Amino acid sequence: MANRSMSRLTQWCSRIFMVEINQKTEPIYFSLSSTPVSAGNKDLEAVLGNGKLFAVYALGDARVPRARSHTHLKRALTQDLPPGCDLLNTASFLPDVKNSLVNGFFLRDNSVLSSSERIVTQLRQKASVCVFTYTREQNGVYLCSDVTDDRSYYVTTAPAPLRHPSTLNIINSDVFYQMKDAYKVLQECIDVIPESKAVLELVEEQQLEPNSSQDESFPIIVIEGLDATGKTTLTFSLQKALGAVLLKSPPQCLADFRPRFDTEPPLIRRAFYALGNYITAAQIARESSYAPVIVDRYWHSTAAYAIATAVSGREENLPAVGSEIYEWPCDLLRPSLVLLLSVSPEERLRRLSHRGLDKTEEESQLEINHLFRRKVDEAYRRIQNPACIVVDANPSPDHVLKQVLGLIRNKNNLQFPGL
Ligand SMILES: Nc1ncnc2c1ncn2[C@@H]1O[C@H](COP(=O)(O)OP(=O)(O)OP(=O)(O)O)[C@@H](O)[C@H]1O
Ligand SMILES: Nc1ccn([C@H]2C[C@H](O)[C@@H](COP(=O)(O)O)O2)c(=O)n1
């Protein structure tokens, strides 16, 4: 957005816009044109309708304040949403151009009072936002204009891009492939989230050695899976059976900070979990000199949850198998074996209901959001180098343990005393 003399909307004209009606259906795509378009389009009509319409985007040059403004914007719009109005996710992007995605919201107002106008005015007074309005001409053509100037553009449908737009910003916004990239995010947070400083100090204290050779050490076995798939149960049994050290990611030293970072937008939250893996890696490197190490969640979890949250809609929208997005970070210690516990949705829900513990917001979402759970599970399976081995964790704890001990025994090069 370099040229300030140009209308803001003119600068968005090279972009495509996406509006999601819900997670299960295909979004609609449109672009803006200065030349008239043919009247009446059923796809646009289905989403844009006849009422008042606003698109709102959080503005900001720096990524941390922009990400936090987007979260605040969502909270404000959700909390104050008047009856007769609904909120849809929207985004603007340049097809197949990495890091070009800008997320925002579509406010549809079919109320008699046109209440959305008041909300948008209040938002513009309080926050740095960019607002576009959409109006429908008598011939059915939609016009889009910036509320700060009178220039209007015709709205015209656009083809769906090859790569789903929600995948464009994943690298270094949702998933981090080097410690320094996640570290930088928390450095940028220090003024607004003071806890970031303490987290960074803990990372530095670990004296991390970049991907040091594990040739001489004992095996490192990571247990992964959705919540309530039996990770805690299995890791305790494995610890006992193998005389192993049990570690987890995020590590215990980050436990007090976790609730704070869990309320932050993905950029910050995922950087926190990424750094947690590097602290755990340093612990693994130390402990594996003396004994086998079992790890309860590690990088597969960080990446799979981050990807599944970032990618909207259906499983088909995930980056394709073999994408660089599923590659292991170049500087993170690699385990000897990663096992993914898999249980049927029914069995997982049965275990969750028996447990009756408090669940994090994301876990509750998993319970109600079958789509999200499928995306996490599929992302786990697509991660490479090392890929995970899927374990059927539906049977009894003893049976699962036996199965896993068998897998460990059959894995080449894993040396366990007593196995
Ligand atoms: N193989 C199994 N068969 C039946 N129930 C099981 C089995 N493994 C674990 N459970 C029970 O399921 C519940 C969840 O198990 P557990 O806490 O081990 O899962 P988890 O993957 O660690 O969950 P979270 O990630 O949410 O901490 C517990 O009540 C546990 O006793
Ligand atoms: N290494 C890790 C561990 C956990 N997470 C995130 C992913 C989920 O949001 C949540 C699940 O953890 P649990 O509630 O089972 O302790 O934590 C991660 O990103 N990386």
Side-chain angles (χ1 to χ4, degrees):
M1 311 286 152
N3 187 350
R4 289 187 185 279
S5 62
M6 214 193 273
S7 121
R8 193 161 52 185
L9 192 54
T10 307
Q11 295 163 47
W12 286 59
C13 270
S14 54
R15 301 184 136 251
I16 306 282
F17 295 81
M18 166 183 84
V19 181
E20 288 175 321
I21 303 109
N22 63 48
Q23 294 272 319
K24 287 185 192 148
T25 52
E26 278 298 302
I28 65 145
Y29 295 95
F30 61 83
S31 57
L32 304 176
S33 162
S34 53
T35 48
V37 294
S38 53
N41 182 298
K42 290 271 171 289
D43 288 347
L44 284 177
E45 261 175 56
V47 176
L48 304 184
N50 287 317
K52 214 154 181 77
L53 266 170
F54 292 99
V56 190
Y57 298 87
L59 287 178
D61 291 333
R63 58 182 176 171
V64 164
R66 196 171 55 239
R68 298 186 94 224
S69 300
H70 177 80
T71 303
H72 294 151
L73 186 59
K74 183 174 187 175
R75 265 184 218 137
L77 286 168
T78 315
Q79 273 164 14
D80 296 339
L81 201 66
C85 295
D86 56 344
L87 199 61
L88 306 177
N89 288 324
T90 184
S92 162
F93 61 97
L94 299 168
D96 301 324
V97 176
K98 280 185 194 168
N99 282 318
S100 67
L101 189 78
V102 180
N103 284 312
F105 301 99
F106 233 85
L107 188 56
R108 278 195 307 201
D109 187 350
N110 290 310
S111 70
V112 186
L113 299 169
S114 281
S115 327
S116 56
E117 198 122 26
R118 175 182 50 81
I119 293 176
V120 170
T121 309
Q122 283 172 357
L123 271 178
R124 290 184 58 218
Q125 285 162 355
K126 279 196 274 185
S128 177
V129 290
C130 164
V131 180
F132 302 137
T133 56
Y134 290 80
T135 47
R136 194 168 184 227
E137 305 257 272
Q138 277 190 339
N139 63 359
V141 168
Y142 286 94
L143 285 175
C144 174
S145 36
D146 187 332
V147 291
T148 58
D149 67 40
D150 291 335
R151 182 109 211 222
S152 291
Y153 286 90
Y154 298 97
V155 176
T156 175
T157 46
L162 289 177
R163 281 172 64 170
H164 194 269
S166 63
T167 62
L168 293 174
N169 290 20
I170 287 180
I171 296 176
N172 286 339
S173 293
D174 298 286
V175 186
F176 298 88
Y177 298 85
Q178 285 190 73
M179 192 183 82
K180 68 174 172 56
D181 293 326
Y183 193 96
K184 226 163 137 201
V185 174
L186 259 65
Q187 270 183 323
E188 290 166 31
C189 292
I190 287 176
D191 289 344
V192 282
I193 311 169
E195 292 86 347
S196 306
K197 194 160 181 276
V199 173
L200 293 176
E201 280 165 8
L202 283 167
V203 173
E204 274 156 21
E205 272 169 27
Q206 297 297 319
Q207 293 179 329
L208 308 162
E209 289 187 22
N211 216 6
S212 56
S213 163
Q214 291 298 304
D215 292 351
E216 304 301 315
S217 64
F218 283 85
I220 301 155
I221 297 164
V222 173
I223 306 298
E224 292 283 10
L226 288 159
D227 56 302
T229 47
K231 296 182 297 301
T232 309
T233 309
L234 176 67
T235 51
F236 276 125
S237 314
L238 281 176
Q239 180 189 19
K240 223 166 124 190
L242 301 173
V245 172
L246 177 55
L247 296 173
K248 59 193 285 188
S249 176
Q252 194 51 40
C253 62
L254 291 186
D256 289 347
F257 301 111
R258 198 173 170 187
R260 176 72 184 85
F261 285 91
D262 274 345
T263 61
E264 291 297 331
L267 171 72
I268 301 166
R269 180 169 188 224
R270 301 305 175 190
F272 167 81
Y273 280 102
L275 291 175
N277 288 327
Y278 287 94
I279 297 179
T280 299
Q283 297 173 344
I284 297 173
R286 281 195 297 272
E287 299 296 342
S288 62
S289 305
Y290 309 104
V293 178
I294 306 298
V295 193
D296 185 344
R297 289 199 191 273
Y298 193 42
W299 194 77
H300 273 74
S301 279
T302 312
Y305 279 81
I307 294 166
T309 311
V311 176
S312 59
R314 292 181 297 192
E315 201 181 320
E316 295 77 37
N317 298 340
L318 286 171
V321 174
S323 156
E324 59 184 336
I325 286 186
Y326 302 116
E327 279 301 318
W328 190 267
C330 57
D331 57 356
L332 183 66
L333 186 148
R334 283 169 213 262
S336 329
L337 187 64
V338 183
L339 301 173
L340 174 66
L341 303 188
S342 175
V343 298
S344 67
E346 299 74 30
E347 174 61 11
R348 218 188 110 261
L349 280 180
R350 192 191 66 75
R351 292 184 193 176
L352 276 172
S353 63
H354 277 222
R355 189 165 61 172
L357 289 175
D358 275 357
K359 297 180 189 76
T360 61
E361 195 188 328
E362 191 154 14
E363 283 177 348
S364 317
Q365 194 191 358
L366 280 184
E367 210 167 316
I368 53 169
N369 193 340
H370 185 61
L371 271 179
F372 180 64
R373 200 181 59 77
R374 296 248 317 254
K375 283 187 283 187
V376 178
D377 196 53
E378 187 53 36
Y380 265 131
R381 292 163 195 252
R382 291 188 187 184
I383 292 168
Q384 290 299 314
N385 301 315
C388 50
I389 296 175
V390 181
V391 174
D392 175 8
N394 287 297
S396 71
D398 277 354
H399 189 107
V400 176
L401 176 65
K402 264 197 204 124
Q403 224 191 126
V404 166
L405 288 174
L407 279 170
I408 293 171
R409 207 176 290 125
N410 291 334
K411 166 95 181 160
N412 289 339
N413 309 327
L414 291 192
Q415 299 300 324
F416 283 96
L419 247 191

